[in-house]
Amino acid sequence: MTPMQKLLQLPVNAVNIVKTVQAQAQEEARSPVLTPDSIQQNWYSAVQPEELRNLKVAGTGGGDSEERAPLEEGVTSAQTQPLRHDDLKEMLDSNKDSLKLEAMKRIVAMIARGKNASDLFPAVVKNVACKNIEVKKLVYVYLVRYAEEQQDLALLSISTFQRGLKDPNQLIRASALRVLSSIRVTIIVPIMMLAIKEAASDMSPYVRKTAAHAIPKLYSLDPEQKDQLIEVIEKLLADKTTLVAGSVVMAFEEVCPERIDLIHKNYRKLCNLLIDVEEWGQVVIINMLTRYARTQFLNPNVNESLLEESGEKAFYGSDDEEGKEEKAEAAALAKRKPYVMDPDHRLLLRNTKPLLQSRNAAVVMAVAQLYFHLAPKAEVGVIAKALVRLMRSHSEVQYVVLQNVATMTIKRRGMFEPYLKSFYIRSTDPTQIKILKLEVLTNLANETNISTILREFQTYIKSMDKDFVAATIQAIGRCATNIGEVRDTCLNGLVQLLSNRDELVVAESVVVIKKLLQMQPEQHSDIIKHMAKLTDNIQVPMARASILWLIGEYCEHVPKIAPDVLRKMAKTFTNEEDIVKLQIINLAAKLYLTNSKQTKLLTQYVLNLAKYDQNYDIRDRARFIRQLIVPTDKSGALSKYAKKLFLALKPAPVLESPFKDRDHFQLGSLSHLLNAKAGGYQELPDWPETAPDPSVRNVEVKDSVIRLLERVTTLTSVPEWTKCSSREKRKEKKVEKPFYSDSEEESGPTESADSESDSASGSGSGSESEESGSGSESEESREESESEQEDKEDEEDKRKKKKKTDRGKVKAPAVESPESEESSGAEEKNRAQKVKGRRSGSESESEEEEESESESSRSESESESESESDTDAKKKKKAPVTKPPPKQAKKESKKEKKEMSLLDLDDFEPTPSPQVTPVNNFLSSSLVTDLEGLSLTDTVMAPTTIAPSGSVKTYELLHRITGEGLGVEYCFSRQPFSPDAHMVAVQIMFTNNTNAETKNLHVEDPKLQSGMRIKEFPEIELLPPGEMVTVVMGIDFCDSTQAANFQLCTHIRKFFVSIQPPVGELMMPVFMTENEFKKEQEKLLQLSLGQLMGMNEISEKLTLGEKCQNEHGIVQRVTSAANVSRVPCGSDKECRFAGKTVSSGILVLVTVATKEERAAQLTVNCEKMVIGTMLVKDILQALTQ
Amino acid sequence: MIHSLFLINSSSDIFLEKHWKSVISRSVCDYFFEVQEKAGEAENVPPVIHAGHHYLINIYREKIFFVSVIQSEVPPLFVIEFLHHVAETFQDYFGECSESAIKDNVVIVYELLEEMLDNGFPLATESNILKELIKPPNILRSVVNSITGSCNVGETLPTGQLSTIPWRRAGVKYTNNEAYFDVVEEIDAILDKTGSVVFAEIQGVIDACVNLTGMPDLTLSFMNPRLLDDVSFHPCVRFKRWESERVLSFIPPDGNFRLLSYHVSAQNLVAIPIYVKQNISFFETGSSGRLDITVGPKQTMGKTVEAVFVTINMPKVVLSANLTATQGNYTYNPVTKTLVWDIGKLSQQKLPNLKGSLTLQCGAPKPEESPSLNIDLKIQQLAISGLKVNRLDMYGEKYKPFKGVKYVSKAGKFQCMAITIWLYIFTNKENSHLKC
């Protein structure tokens, strides 16, 4: 660009015009009016109506159309400029979508060109509710761009988005949230906050993903919201879909990277989901996990470093110091017990490894840096191949990869040695790539490959690219210093280069030779002589200065030549560059000290010249040196030491890589590339001395493992369990009767205690085993299927881990036949669990069995005590149950909403895709496990639902192993909690399995979601050994399935526990007649038609499971899944149930309509969509089995 | 992450800007121009530039600089990969990623950029999803649109984004169900002056064009999968299956995509399909030089070597070339100093030869550097590594698709280095003395 064009800010097109002759005349005519306005005219050409442009293209044959356009318009539009915007306004105000669209397209094109279109804001913002999707989208584009500047007007559009947030279509909800959060208007921060919170618990994972995206936006707008946002992040981190994972980790990194504790519970899940997350998310997660792992695990190389370091590094000098350090460290650590890798650490390494095969260079790099920073030395090698592969990619990618490889090669040279040839330089490489490759080659050089490398370097010296040649010469110098054997060869080769015709080459050689000579000057006086001769020819200042320094330093080796060089230099002194002048003074001083006879006058002369130099550095130096070396009467005390000062032995410079020590930055990061800390960079922490408690991560895993374990062990001891189960059930029945018997008799005459117990004993062991098995299902998640997948994953990762610990331990028996994998796996897991629980040693299998037996007997006794406690409870709670009088039944109408299926879509849903069909072995390992998980849990879950309505599932709160003898279980007794009607009563059973007394059992430090409350049970003063006690506490879950977390404290210990209710337990039965039911249902439907289409009704078709084909079966299963009561009804084709949520008393209406065969339709009406959907899932599950 | 994007053409004109967060003045690009000026050639502009409070990460594609503005720590490769992805998307949409194409479709470009990033973090980058959101332009549609006022934004919602296979759009229908696979291999080699191989390896890709109805599940197996030393996959490929059985099992995206890229290591001897005898020398006296190049086929496994080009970057002092070619044509560009010899097909009988004299600049010293030769070639119906596709099976759909596999081998970075006499230099000691 000529300065002229720059001045005028002429667009390129205009420049091109100048070329055509006919255009030139016009151009000249116009140029006086070429004010900045002309740019405006210019872009218009780019957005003329399409058809017009096509015509023109046809007429002129393509390319010129662009160039001509400004000419045509330029003449007319210069004066009509303001009118144009009026045009646009008019178009925007018109009724025709096509005109609006055209106007918006022009406006967007203006924005794209960087032109100001802000004065159109009012006209544009009116169209925010336009029906046409493209117009709408373009308006969004405009809004996001200009809302910040026109905050007041932007507020006009907010209501549209708020409406959009309630849309039944998830994609519209998401897009509304996206735009709303992108508008940077501070006044709507509260609205944004609310919207994000709501979206974070949306049914659709896509909306939740959008919510995660919105978090950093809000944070950058108002950092004061941080605390609230962290809450949302914490919630979203617990999300189990791959769609959300990447985005929420990104939000985490931007908002609260220091809150590493939020990751603990999600660590394993993230590891397992990783492979299915989209590429960009993978990068973010891997980088975050690298940092996490550095804080949580031990350095895997502590012990190995002793062996490897000494073997690898002893050969050459540059890393000596480091080697020593590490040796010392290693020696210190070697005394410690052998290193055993944390299974979670292994999990991370294992799950990231396949990603080295990703097509995305950023992912490969992220995994590579993870391995570099976290893996044991022996395993790091795998990344080399993948990194070398990236070298085939675009040059920008090469550039970044080479930078990182350069850093890696300093620490781990061996890893890249096999790929040496991949770093050979091609003449077509850009210079910056060449120089980086050279760096890598130099780092890789050792005794064995140096000859190949040097031969390669020889060809490089011949290159036309002079910068590259200079770099090569330096590289040769570095090889020479590092590898003693080739020092002489290199030196000689470099000396040869001194006769090169190119001055740059010679100069660079001189500089490098100077450094090399400093190592062994005695042997090379001839080289110094040769170089002295060069002063006649070489003009490059740096080279001249280097030569002079050399001669001065080693003037004793060249006693004859040195004074002569000084003579020549004195002659040309005034014309030299500053650095050369300084070196001349230096040389003079040194010669004066060693050979004052010959050089006294010359020195005086030089110093005199320097005294009047223009440069003050030189004047200063001259003055200083004169005082120092020339003895005068008042010369200072220092002059005695002049010789020592000047002729001191100078250490040879160490030629080291500029990439040395760069690895203290996390590799692959921007900071590493720049070798400076970039804003927002999170330091990669050092390994901890001792590993932090690994159990923080296994809250969820533990539960599921125990569950599985118990499932298996109970299956083996069937008889006892059957006994106990029936007994238990009968007792429970007794408890429930007083509350429900009346209504039950009324509503369901078929339902009787007999049939219930029949069915219970009929299914016998199965059901019971499941019941006790699922005792630990404390963290049952909102979405059943997901939680199961997750469980399965956890189990599998547990298994993997188990294997690893086995490998780690020498003794542990690892016999695992494929048939018995399930059970033995579980047992192993149990053992792993014990290891976790800080129990020493591995236990034999017989012990295992004993344990399970004792467990069963324990629950037997539990059930007994339960009945006792229940009677207690009865005394306490005599809350009367109101019964509304029965009324007549009506027929109910049903509606099906198609959109709802969209809502139910979730990430893991096994869509009817062929994915499931052909093979078991799939790309997404987790997907497979998910599917397996589904089928597995299906079979196991089946018996639960046979349990009669009154039966109570117990869940494990604290396993007796983790609780160090204190076992705690809980169940939802389904009785009103008398102190506070809005609370769900949770019955908690403590068992003391130890030999000592447990004292002062109480609740402490509850951590609850906002709005949730907890009513603690009175402190238990004393629990004697072997005894058990039952208490009731109340929790207000706020009608959500969020877990209530609190600490359970004994006099010695504290345990973190959490209670998460299944959705069915959040409600209590409401008794109503068919008529009332119909009325309420209609009311709800109307409400939904009014504002929230289809939000209040969710219906699902299903096929009834084998055991619940009759009405009785259905009633049983529904009431066991949810705490609702049956509504009497005339038709035997329909079963209705009603309940209301405990906390806010919102009605929940359930209808099951049976049809021919086993088909049925389930409808749930509830104002709270979340509850409705989850309930549908739960009931569906119960009914289909 | 990515704050803003500027597109800059070769004459330093910012012709498009897009901000994903607050607006950053385009004056930030001045840092870029400064560095660009210093770097000289476009390819030497460092990809990462520190610019005051910002960082500029840029790529150079099709004569356009994609300059992104970053404000805080982010993996540079993340941004670079993304920018390339943007360029590829433009290519995909407009057939070319040129300045004029972008300017012509500025609205679509803007819509694309809007969808691809949200607050600077990638949102929808899969081409199948994007095409559902924003339809690519074609002439018919633009005419219809301008008349009816309908738009090029998809009416349907991109449900693919929500599924477990985000790369494939739902409801694909074709009347002809076809799946084509192109196995393309490139030979990277460095030969020294004597023609012996310094370094050679094969980089291959399998590009697929799959037009299949519904949700097909494909399995592609090879005769000799062990050949593949290092592979990288499209995300659709099931990694576990590859690990255990060495077959590619995947649900393909719709349309064109790169299924796999692989590397055949140097351990397997790479067959070099041609040999080159070359002799380029410059005379010490007089300003001229001689050039003599002969190319012949070597290991071609019975296939013809086609489209052979030899490109030589001459030293700056070479003014012109007066040569005769026994086959094909040659051109010498005195501005860029490149000599291109288009040979065409190589035949076994008559070896193509290029011979003649070079004219050098008068008075200039004889060039020290010896030029290297870059060779382009193509062999149809042959994968030079010997890789062969065994079979392709489809599950999950009923119909019988048409399946096709094509093999092509090409020269990648194929270079003949001219090695010089530097070897001797190391052994010769010079003992000249300084005259005093």
Side-chain angles (χ1 to χ4, degrees), chain A residues 1146-1173:
Chain A
I1146 292 167
L1147 271 184
V1148 182
L1149 308 176
V1150 181
T1151 315
V1152 183
T1154 51
K1155 296 177 179 163
E1156 56 283 329
E1157 292 295 330
R1158 283 157 62 186
Q1161 176 149 7
L1162 168 69
T1163 311
V1164 171
N1165 297 80
C1166 177
E1167 246 177 272
K1168 280 219 167 180
M1169 199 178 67
V1170 181
I1171 290 205
T1173 329

Side-chain angles (χ1 to χ4, degrees), chain A residues 256-481:
Chain A
C256 52
E258 72 284 352
R259 288 290 305 274
I260 209 84
D261 57 297
L262 295 181
I263 303 301
H264 291 321
K265 288 192 179 161
N266 303 298
Y267 172 81
R268 286 173 194 161
K269 183 192 69 199
L270 284 174
C271 287
N272 286 320
L273 286 183
L274 194 58
I275 194 156
D276 290 332
V277 176
E278 36 84 48
E279 303 165 314
W280 313 108
Q282 284 172 347
V283 178
V284 180
I285 296 177
I286 293 171
N287 279 319
M288 186 276 291
L289 288 179
T290 308
R291 208 153 40 81
Y292 178 85
R294 269 294 184 99
T295 60
Q296 300 298 322
F297 307 129
L298 289 177
N299 185 356
N301 294 320
V302 272
N303 293 338
E304 288 152 46
S305 55
L306 179 68
L307 294 168
E308 278 197 18
E309 288 296 322
S310 55
E312 197 178 286
K313 293 226 167 123
F315 292 122
Y316 68 105
S318 78
D319 284 337
D320 260 359
E321 272 177 56
E322 202 175 342
K324 262 179 229 160
E325 256 172 51
E326 276 181 54
K327 250 184 262 178
E329 196 183 326
L333 285 166
K335 289 167 203 155
R336 288 195 204 168
K337 63 174 190 285
Y339 169 78
V340 179
M341 186 182 274
D342 188 311
D344 287 328
H345 191 170
R346 174 54 65 195
L347 176 75
L348 177 62
L349 292 176
R350 178 186 299 238
N351 282 3
T352 48
K353 196 174 167 189
L355 295 177
L356 282 173
Q357 247 72 47
S358 172
R359 65 170 172 175
N360 189 317
V363 176
V364 177
M365 189 67 232
V367 178
Q369 65 84 21
L370 181 133
Y371 262 74
F372 182 78
H373 289 300
L374 300 180
K377 247 178 205 159
E379 292 169 42
V380 181
V382 296
I383 65 174
K385 199 188 269 180
L387 287 177
V388 168
R389 185 184 68 230
L390 295 187
M391 306 269 299
R392 276 282 297 183
S393 192
H394 304 284
S395 77
E396 294 88 4
V397 175
Q398 278 188 48
Y399 177 83
V400 178
V401 171
L402 281 170
Q403 295 253 359
N404 287 292
V405 170
T407 308
M408 288 184 195
T409 45
I410 289 172
K411 264 268 163 74
R412 308 268 156 88
R413 178 153 47 90
M415 173 164 109
F416 287 98
E417 249 172 296
Y419 305 97
L420 182 73
K421 286 186 172 175
S422 304
F423 298 102
Y424 279 9
I425 291 154
R426 296 163 200 284
S427 59
T428 43
D429 286 331
T431 310
Q432 51 183 355
I433 299 290
K434 284 181 186 162
I435 288 172
L436 284 169
K437 279 188 175 173
L438 206 56
E439 173 68 37
V440 173
L441 285 175
T442 316
N443 288 343
L444 289 179
N446 62 15
E447 296 76 12
T448 49
N449 60 22
I450 183 68
S451 55
T452 345
I453 290 180
L454 277 182
R455 201 171 315 138
E456 199 49 34
F457 283 176
Q458 288 163 31
T459 41
Y460 301 164
I461 300 257
K462 290 285 165 192
S463 165
M464 288 178 233
D465 186 341
K466 291 303 165 213
D467 294 337
F468 170 52
V469 173
T472 310
I473 293 169
Q474 287 187 357
I476 293 174
R478 257 178 59 201
C479 287
T481 51

Side-chain angles (χ1 to χ4, degrees), chain A residues 1120-1164:
Chain A
S1120 73
N1123 191 8
V1124 289
S1125 70
R1126 174 133 191 230
V1127 174
C1129 105
S1131 154
D1132 58 349
K1133 291 272 180 219
E1134 285 185 342
C1135 297
R1136 301 202 175 111
F1137 306 89
K1140 63 176 184 186
T1141 60
V1142 176
S1143 174
S1144 47
I1146 292 167
L1147 271 184
V1148 182
L1149 308 176
V1150 181
T1151 315
V1152 183
T1154 51
K1155 296 177 179 163
E1156 56 283 329
E1157 292 295 330
R1158 283 157 62 186
Q1161 176 149 7
L1162 168 69
T1163 311
V1164 171

Side-chain angles (χ1 to χ4, degrees), chain A residues 70-211:
Chain A
L71 298 184
E72 293 160 7
E73 308 230 342
V75 185
T76 52
S77 64
Q79 57 272 53
T80 59
Q81 181 59 41
L83 258 182
R84 288 231 156 221
H85 279 184
D86 287 347
D87 267 13
L88 289 173
K89 276 180 195 157
E90 217 165 88
M91 286 165 89
L92 286 169
D93 287 341
S94 81
N95 293 324
K96 278 194 194 152
D97 277 355
S98 59
L99 279 178
K100 283 185 184 177
L101 184 59
E102 187 55 40
M104 280 318 297
K105 280 186 175 175
R106 292 188 189 190
I107 294 168
V108 166
M110 277 169 80
I111 297 173
R113 281 299 255 149
K115 294 295 132 223
N116 187 7
S118 57
D119 56 331
L120 290 162
F121 200 96
V124 173
V125 86
K126 264 185 268 177
N127 289 302
V128 75
C130 180
K131 288 278 178 293
N132 184 310
I133 298 182
E134 190 169 18
V135 174
K136 204 174 193 165
K137 282 206 166 176
L138 295 178
V139 171
Y140 286 178
V141 169
Y142 182 90
L143 210 55
V144 171
R145 170 67 179 75
Y146 284 113
E148 204 173 6
E149 295 173 21
Q150 314 235 356
Q151 306 226 346
D152 293 343
L153 283 170
L155 292 178
L156 294 176
S157 62
I158 302 299
S159 61
T160 315
F161 302 126
Q162 279 179 302
R163 223 173 301 135
L165 288 172
K166 299 256 158 57
D167 199 280
N169 186 319
Q170 53 178 343
L171 291 158
I172 293 178
R173 288 205 299 279
S175 121
L177 177 63
R178 216 185 124 189
V179 183
L180 182 72
S181 57
S182 298
I183 298 177
R184 290 168 297 274
V185 177
T186 356
I187 212 166
I188 63 161
V189 162
I191 297 178
M192 277 165 73
M193 192 69 226
L194 207 68
I196 289 175
K197 274 185 178 166
E198 219 157 79
S201 45
D202 198 281
M203 295 309 301
S204 150
Y206 184 63
V207 177
R208 297 202 295 272
K209 181 189 176 75
T210 317

Side-chain angles (χ1 to χ4, degrees), chain A residues 493-538:
Chain A
L494 288 170
V495 170
Q496 273 304 304
L497 283 180
L498 293 179
S499 47
N500 194 295
R501 215 166 302 160
D502 194 285
E503 201 180 53
L504 269 171
V505 174
V506 178
E508 201 66 40
S509 310
V510 168
V511 175
V512 174
I513 289 173
K514 177 204 129 195
K515 288 178 184 163
L516 286 182
L517 283 185
Q518 257 184 283
M519 291 177 167
Q520 40 196 172
E522 311 78 30
Q523 304 154 27
H524 296 290
S525 54
D526 49 339
I527 295 178
I528 297 171
K529 281 175 201 159
H530 178 72
M531 288 173 78
K533 198 171 77 174
L534 285 173
T535 48
D536 296 341
N537 305 320
I538 288 189

